[in-house]
Amino acid sequence: MRYFKNTAWLFAEKTLRIVSSLFVGTWVARYLGPEQYGAFNYVVSFVALFAAFSTLGLDVVLVREIVKNEDKADVLMGTAFMMKVVGALVTMILIIVASYFTLNDVSTNLLIIIVSAGMLFNSFNVIDLYFQSKVLSRYVVYSKVIILLFSSAIKIVLILNEADLSAFVWVVLLDSVALAGGYIIFYYYNSLTLRSWKFEKRIVIDLLLDSWPLVFSGVAIAIYMRVDQVMIKEMMGLNALGQYAAAVKLSEAWYFIPMMIGASLTPAIINAKKVDEKLYYDRLQYLYTFMVWVAIVVAVLMTILSDDIV
């Protein structure tokens, strides 16, 4: 029941996000039009191609290590946070350099830099990972729901005031800043403090030894999920990208299900390995079987209903 409730909280947040995207996201797309909406998605996708480097593949590893070593949580979080900050700074430099080898104009490159700055504030997601390890995702959900409502309200105000594209790009950065603030507030609400975080060089090596393969995995995922939008912009223009980006949202909307279930059940699987090897593999098998059936159901429904949904 503990893991079910945790998953339910995550599911509720993602459901609300889909509803918001259906109404506010569609309104934004219609307001901006194919060309500007294409430009917006190009900027976000360009940054996403590099964003995997900034996380250093630490997310899953950090959850596992906190579950295994609860007494070292402050050292693990402090070290992981500093690693993510350094990773974000290096990635921002890579993005800035890469942007100048494109055919983008100065204004587009400036928008790319604005979005990439959000990676620095995303470093605070170590707090999210801590709550995941404790199966307390409701606090993360509180933060995300509040920010989602706040962000949606801002977008509506921008549309009503006929704002330009750059204003919507600034909202992307604002979301990252506000979410980091929400994480910190709920962290302190649970009688925890950032001052207890500690950095240890030895932990850096230990974390990197486990996380470096996940960096390549993250980069591969980012490439196959985002490179299509970057290529379409370069080959066919922003108008075509705007049409494509609107359609691909329907596919990406479902990605939250495996991510949500995986994040919620990871502590249960890790704890099972401590107790019994057979229980560990049984839980893995249950997880993968459930994921496959969910995927089949979603694929069939989307195939049948796609025309009406579009």
Side-chain angles (χ1 to χ4, degrees), residues 1 8 14 18 25 52 112 114 124 127 133 145 151-152 159 171-172 193 218 246 258 276 286 292:
M1 285 304 298
K14 293 301 183 183
I18 289 177
I112 288 173
I114 292 171
F124 283 97
I127 297 175
S133 71
V145 167
S151 176
S152 298
I159 292 172
V171 172
V172 176
T193 174
D276 179 67
Y286 293 146
V292 169

Side-chain angles (χ1 to χ4, degrees), residues 20-39:
S20 172
S21 177
L22 182 62
F23 292 99
V24 180
T26 300
W27 196 359
V28 170
R30 288 177 176 273
Y31 168 75
L32 291 176
E35 187 163 333
Q36 283 199 308
Y37 190 63

Side-chain angles (χ1 to χ4, degrees), residues 2-309:
R2 184 186 178 198
Y3 294 110
F4 174 77
K5 289 178 181 178
N6 194 64
T7 304
W9 277 106
L10 293 170
F11 187 83
E13 184 267 330
K14 293 301 183 183
T15 301
L16 182 60
R17 188 171 296 277
I18 289 177
V19 172
S20 172
S21 177
L22 182 62
F23 292 99
V24 180
T26 300
W27 196 359
V28 170
R30 288 177 176 273
Y31 168 75
L32 291 176
E35 187 163 333
Q36 283 199 308
Y37 190 63
F40 176 81
N41 280 277
Y42 170 77
V43 168
V44 174
S45 297
F46 191 90
V47 173
L49 283 175
F50 297 86
F53 287 109
S54 67
T55 67
L56 299 176
L58 289 172
D59 292 4
V60 175
V61 174
L62 183 60
V63 172
R64 185 197 68 191
E65 291 302 311
I66 293 176
V67 171
K68 289 169 56 179
N69 306 285
E70 295 184 33
D71 57 321
K72 296 182 179 179
D74 288 332
V75 174
L76 289 167
M77 292 181 66
T79 303
F81 174 75
M82 290 305 301
M83 292 171 67
K84 281 175 170 280
V85 168
V86 173
L89 290 172
V90 172
T91 304
M92 283 183 65
I93 294 172
L94 286 174
I95 290 172
I96 292 170
V97 172
S99 66
Y100 283 99
F101 286 95
T102 65
L103 300 177
N104 300 336
D105 54 30
V106 176
S107 61
T108 300
N109 285 340
L110 179 59
L111 295 179
I112 288 173
I113 294 172
I114 292 171
V115 173
S116 67
M119 292 187 297
L120 280 172
F121 299 95
N122 291 342
S123 301
F124 283 97
N125 88 317
V126 294
I127 297 175
D128 178 1
L129 302 174
Y130 172 81
F131 285 133
Q132 286 183 32
S133 71
K134 300 298 181 182
V135 199
L136 293 171
S137 291
R138 67 178 181 274
Y139 296 112
V140 176
V141 171
Y142 294 156
S143 299
K144 290 185 176 181
V145 167
I146 292 170
I147 303 308
L148 175 62
L149 296 175
F150 177 66
S151 176
S152 298
I154 291 178
K155 289 174 183 176
I156 292 172
V157 170
L158 291 177
I159 292 172
L160 295 176
N161 286 275
E162 300 182 351
D164 59 14
L165 174 62
S166 62
F168 292 91
V169 172
W170 277 105
V171 172
V172 176
L173 175 58
L174 180 62
D175 286 349
S176 297
V177 176
L179 187 57
Y183 286 158
I184 294 171
I185 290 171
F186 282 107
Y187 194 67
Y188 276 87
Y189 176 79
N190 281 270
S191 301
L192 300 165
T193 174
L194 304 186
R195 294 180 181 178
S196 63
W197 289 3
K198 299 175 183 177
F199 175 82
E200 287 189 11
K201 291 182 180 179
R202 177 180 58 83
I203 301 296
V204 172
I205 303 300
D206 292 340
L207 291 176
L208 286 178
L209 285 174
D210 284 343
S211 69
W212 70 264
L214 298 176
V215 175
F216 294 102
S217 172
V219 170
I221 291 171
I223 290 174
Y224 80 68
M225 284 185 63
R226 296 294 184 174
V227 74
D228 51 356
Q229 299 194 34
V230 174
M231 289 175 63
I232 288 174
K233 182 265 183 182
E234 298 294 338
M235 298 168 64
M236 302 175 66
L238 292 174
N239 191 291
L241 174 56
Q243 302 284 354
Y244 178 83
V248 81
K249 295 289 185 186
L250 295 175
S251 173
E252 293 180 349
W254 298 100
Y255 293 172
F256 81 91
I257 294 179
M259 293 175 65
M260 172 196 69
I261 295 172
S264 184
L265 298 184
T266 293
I269 294 173
I270 294 172
N271 283 322
K273 190 170 179 64
K274 294 180 182 179
V275 177
D276 179 67
E277 193 81 5
K278 183 178 183 303
L279 178 62
Y280 168 68
Y281 284 110
D282 285 345
R283 286 188 174 181
L284 276 179
Q285 186 61 61
Y286 293 146
L287 173 62
Y288 294 144
T289 301
F290 181 67
M291 293 281 204
V292 169
W293 281 110
V294 169
I296 291 172
V297 171
V298 169
V300 171
L301 288 175
M302 287 298 291
T303 301
I304 295 172
L305 303 175
S306 58
D307 287 345
D308 294 329
I309 295 173

